[in-house]
Amino acid sequence: MALLEAHGLTHYFGGLAAVKNVSLELHPCELVGLIGPNGAGKTTLFNLISGVYTPSAGDIRFRGESIVGLPPHEVARHGITRTFQNIRLFGGMSALDNVKVARHHRTRSGMLASLLRTAAFRAEETALEHEALALLDLVGLADRAADPPGALPYGLQRRLEIARALAGAPEVLLLDEPAAGMNQSEVADLITLIRRLREERELAILLIEHQMPLVMNICQRVYVLDFGEVIAHGTPAEIQNDPRVIEAYLGTGARM
């Protein structure tokens, strides 16, 4: 059974269909790519899955249960978290606090326990900090825990966003252009990190990316969108040789 499924997703902005009858599936521990030209509807699809938008038509199912209409925090609570194409970190907080705040929705202490600083609340806060530090260590930021996001190089800000997404203890991780703005060395490190996340955390990952070497290197399957529609789906080898993909996105003579 697929872990995450989309069936016939369509979404209109006014009279414009940004996504048209899109269906896809993601299985446990699977790493799937989503590619296509700018404006093809990739981020709109992520916004539909994560609850930012409600689809005009179609269904989204997680573990067989429809999540259409759930707000983003409830989608995250179910086990689907994401990063963003444009980094959305909290600039006034440290890297550590950016991760901790994303974990708070899974804490049990209420407002009264917080105000009274009960023993149970203090124990939970200590555990929360240890978990956040472990996630920073996982993405290579343990030594930058006290730094605000603005003090981090762009590539490390991307890693911090991934750590924050992981703080929700997801089963499905949506990565929206995680390699954007990175140099070749940073991309190589990112490939290693994504592989490690899938294997060690047993995550299913859906990845939007324009850097084709990254997609072809780590994805097991790839969906290709153009003008809001899926025009191809298959293994990386099948996709890179598909005439429709070459014409719509890669260009004649493209090599990946």
Side-chain angles (χ1 to χ4, degrees):
M1 178 185 293
L3 183 62
L4 176 69
E5 303 168 90
H7 299 288
L9 282 188
T10 298
H11 190 68
Y12 289 94
F13 292 109
L16 176 66
V19 170
K20 305 176 192 176
N21 196 33
V22 169
S23 296
L24 59 79
E25 60 183 33
L26 182 67
H27 294 88
C29 299
E30 191 177 29
L31 208 168
V32 174
L34 183 63
I35 67 172
N38 288 326
K42 303 182 299 296
T43 295
T44 298
L45 184 58
F46 266 28
N47 286 336
L48 292 170
I49 294 171
S50 61
V52 176
Y53 302 146
T54 298
S56 305
D59 195 15
I60 305 164
R61 292 186 170 271
F62 179 66
R63 292 196 170 279
E65 176 185 350
S66 179
I67 58 172
V68 168
L70 294 182
H73 70 277
E74 285 296 332
V75 174
R77 192 182 295 273
H78 273 64
I80 303 172
T81 62
R82 66 173 296 184
T83 65
F84 292 88
Q85 183 177 359
N86 299 312
I87 293 175
R88 299 186 184 182
L89 297 168
F90 301 114
M93 295 181 176
S94 67
L96 178 63
D97 285 340
N98 264 273
V99 178
K100 286 172 65 177
V101 75
R103 183 68 175 172
H104 265 289
H105 76 280
R106 292 188 175 270
T107 58
R108 298 180 180 179
S109 299
M111 181 69 73
L112 183 60
S114 174
L115 291 172
L116 296 177
R117 299 193 64 79
T118 63
F121 169 78
R122 294 195 304 273
E124 195 168 45
E125 284 295 298
T126 298
L128 180 68
E129 180 149 335
H130 288 161
E131 291 169 7
L133 285 169
L135 288 173
L136 288 177
D137 184 53
L138 177 64
V139 301
L141 287 172
D143 60 340
R144 307 296 294 268
D147 292 350
L152 301 175
Y154 190 82
L156 295 187
Q157 290 183 38
R158 287 280 180 194
R159 285 172 170 262
L160 177 56
E161 246 207 341
I162 292 172
R164 189 175 64 178
L166 293 172
E171 292 181 74
V172 172
L173 179 62
L174 309 176
L175 297 177
D176 196 346
E177 297 194 33
M182 290 187 177
N183 59 40
Q184 285 188 337
S185 175
E186 289 171 330
V187 170
D189 289 342
L190 179 66
I191 288 173
T192 300
L193 174 61
I194 292 174
R195 281 180 171 150
R196 183 181 175 193
L197 293 180
R198 184 176 73 86
E199 293 168 3
E200 294 185 5
R201 298 266 164 170
E202 298 185 341
L203 286 172
I205 300 174
L206 185 59
L207 168 78
I208 293 176
E209 190 50 67
H210 284 290
Q211 295 214 29
M212 289 302 98
L214 185 152
V215 172
M216 298 302 157
N217 204 309
I218 63 174
C219 291
Q220 296 160 286
R221 295 186 294 115
V222 181
Y223 289 89
V224 186
L225 288 185
D226 191 33
F227 293 106
E229 298 181 271
V230 175
I231 63 168
H233 162 237
T235 66
E238 290 167 342
I239 290 302
Q240 68 181 345
N241 292 305
D242 190 305
R244 294 167 299 175
V245 179
I246 294 171
E247 180 181 357
Y249 183 43
L250 302 174
T252 302
R255 295 288 182 271
M256 290 182 291

